[in-house]
Amino acid sequence: MMPLVSVIVPVCNTLPYLREALDSVVRQTYRNLEILIVDDGSTDGSGEVCDEYRKDPRVQVIHQSNMGPSAARNVGLDRMTGDVVAFLDSDDAFYPDMVQTMLAVMERSAADIVIGGYAQFHAAGRMEASRPSKLVGYREERMTSRDALAALVEARISHYAWNKLYSREVWNGMRFPEERRAYEDIFTLYKVFLKAGSIMTMPGRQVMRRIRPGSLSHINSVKFTRDRMEAYEELELFVKDNIPRLFNERQFLSLLKRDMSSCISNWGHLPWGEQEEAVDIRKRLLEKGKTFGIGFLPVRSKIAYGIIRFCPFLLPCSCLAYSGFKKLVSPTRRPASKEKQGHGAVAP
């Protein structure tokens, strides 16, 4: 018997992209699907579009007040009855054979999680599958839970929930943190990996990811900067507490480098006037520098760290000037022509 695959799609105010996302699910070459669309308090007409898809008997639509993406995904996890689960963000899309190809790898390898590649698009309209701006791919490789956790920490595989197929069992007792409105994947995925017996990466690309202004992952605010910092701090604590059983010192420093560099950049790009609200972020960042040093940071991050430490009011000005300079000297963006091989995904 063919396994039932539950696809969970949280939706909130993504009307311009929603039909492309939902069409990519209902038109999958693998047909034995349970499609759970969770309208998380949309106010732009997205809820009505979701209801149009009820004509497909495989589709369930759940409407709720706005509680955030974690709560929406959790509703799907609570309702699902499938043997296997996948997630899709409502401004992204699956390639037509995504479920079929990933499920074939899962069944052949008896893996608990399968991780696929993705294509990235800067597109306001429909994404053209043949014209991605970036391709992230993997070779076929079986990993133990420990190997996969190490790869996750080193950013050789991504923290994203949506480019993976999961056995139902790894989500037993697991849910996304509903108090978080951003970076909930970072808080969650390493715990899911811990429950997996084996994990497979596979070649090819399975998901089309849209990069757009205004999406949760591209809003720069004090709250989202704080959420990201706290997500990485939780992961860092987990890594540090599990040396040498699961990790080593080099992997911890790799994670810390990514965390501090990104936090420095986010702090510098906060909207004007919001730095005063972010004094706790600055304090925690400086404490990390005092505890671990900054010798492992890239040169640009070291300079920015010094500005944050001694002249914090200057960093937004320098970031603004640098961004303007980059726009002047950068060549026109060209679509990537060749998919990365091996572990190439960048963590959020």
Side-chain angles (χ1 to χ4, degrees):
M1 180 180 291
M2 294 193 305
L4 177 64
V5 177
S6 298
V7 181
I8 298 171
V9 189
V11 176
C12 184
N13 293 337
T14 51
L15 185 61
Y17 324 107
L18 184 56
R19 284 190 174 87
E20 183 176 13
L22 298 181
D23 285 347
S24 78
V25 181
V26 299
R27 295 174 182 172
Q28 283 290 297
T29 55
Y30 188 84
R31 305 300 296 170
N32 194 26
L33 303 178
E34 173 186 63
I35 304 166
L36 300 153
I37 305 170
V38 185
D39 170 32
D40 188 45
S42 296
T43 57
D44 67 344
S46 292
E48 289 78 2
V49 171
C50 292
D51 287 334
E52 293 175 12
Y53 286 79
R54 291 181 188 270
K55 61 190 178 188
D56 188 318
R58 301 171 300 169
V59 171
Q60 300 176 43
V61 178
I62 302 104
H63 296 281
Q64 64 180 31
S65 58
N66 181 251
M67 298 171 64
S70 286
R73 284 175 174 172
N74 289 345
V75 166
L77 287 167
D78 292 340
R79 296 277 191 102
M80 64 171 273
T81 62
D83 311 292
V84 176
V85 61
F87 300 96
L88 177 67
D89 289 351
S90 59
D91 53 355
D92 296 337
F94 287 158
Y95 280 92
D97 61 351
M98 179 270 194
V99 174
Q100 183 175 338
T101 56
M102 294 188 80
L103 186 61
V105 171
M106 177 175 276
E107 292 184 314
R108 184 177 73 246
S109 63
D112 295 303
I113 300 173
V114 176
I115 302 171
Y118 59 90
Q120 197 159 279
F121 298 82
H122 294 262
R126 291 188 70 86
M127 293 178 283
E128 296 183 42
S130 62
R131 297 178 61 84
S133 61
K134 179 182 178 181
L135 297 170
V136 176
Y138 304 93
R139 63 180 179 270
E140 185 165 314
E141 181 180 355
R142 177 188 292 276
M143 293 182 285
T144 64
S145 178
R146 177 176 180 169
D147 294 336
L149 283 166
L152 194 70
V153 163
E154 294 173 1
R156 290 185 285 115
I157 56 180
S158 75
H159 289 273
Y160 303 130
W162 42 256
N163 68 326
K164 300 169 179 67
L165 206 63
Y166 311 84
S167 67
R168 179 190 183 94
E169 288 72 23
V170 298
W171 286 98
N172 287 343
M174 288 296 309
R175 292 297 183 267
F176 292 93
E178 297 190 6
E179 70 277 11
R180 305 291 177 179
R181 292 286 179 131
Y183 304 109
E184 68 281 355
D185 294 357
I186 300 175
F187 282 100
T188 309
L189 264 290
Y190 77 91
K191 300 170 188 173
V192 174
F193 276 29
L194 270 175
K195 298 185 68 173
S198 65
I199 296 170
M200 287 289 295
T201 55
M202 62 175 288
R205 51 189 185 269
Q206 284 70 44
V207 182
M208 290 182 276
R209 182 197 184 201
R210 189 190 308 273
I211 304 296
R212 63 180 179 90
S215 66
L216 283 179
S217 60
H218 287 81
I219 294 174
N220 203 23
S221 71
V222 173
K223 173 154 184 7
F224 286 178
T225 300
R226 189 177 290 121
D227 276 354
R228 189 192 187 285
M229 176 179 247
E230 291 176 357
Y232 270 96
E233 285 177 346
E234 180 181 296
L235 183 54
E236 286 159 11
L237 185 61
F238 170 74
V239 172
K240 195 172 182 182
D241 287 347
N242 285 278
I243 297 172
R245 187 175 71 89
L246 296 175
F247 305 99
N248 57 46
E249 290 284 351
R250 179 188 58 79
Q251 290 163 339
F252 173 74
L253 287 176
S254 172
L255 180 62
L256 188 66
K257 174 182 175 180
R258 196 161 72 254
D259 170 22
M260 289 182 67
S261 296
S262 179
C263 188
I264 288 167
S265 176
N266 287 350
W267 198 92
H269 286 91
L270 286 172
W272 290 99
E274 288 195 14
Q275 281 76 21
E276 289 184 8
E277 299 176 42
V279 290
D280 62 314
I281 296 173
R282 177 175 177 267
K283 182 179 178 182
R284 285 152 71 175
L285 188 57
L286 295 181
E287 285 175 353
K288 286 184 182 182
K290 184 177 179 180
T291 302
F292 301 106
I294 61 170
F296 56 89
L297 293 177
V299 172
R300 192 169 69 187
S301 295
K302 289 178 184 176
I303 294 170
Y305 178 90
I307 296 173
I308 289 174
R309 182 178 178 185
F310 297 109
C311 306
F313 60 90
L314 288 178
L315 189 58
C317 302
S318 61
C319 286
L320 192 63
Y322 178 74
S323 296
F325 176 75
K326 270 179 65 176
K327 287 180 182 178
L328 285 175
V329 302
S330 294
T332 304
R333 181 188 299 275
R334 295 180 182 177
S337 59
K338 188 175 181 181
E339 183 168 350
K340 288 185 179 181
Q341 296 301 313
H343 291 311
V346 178

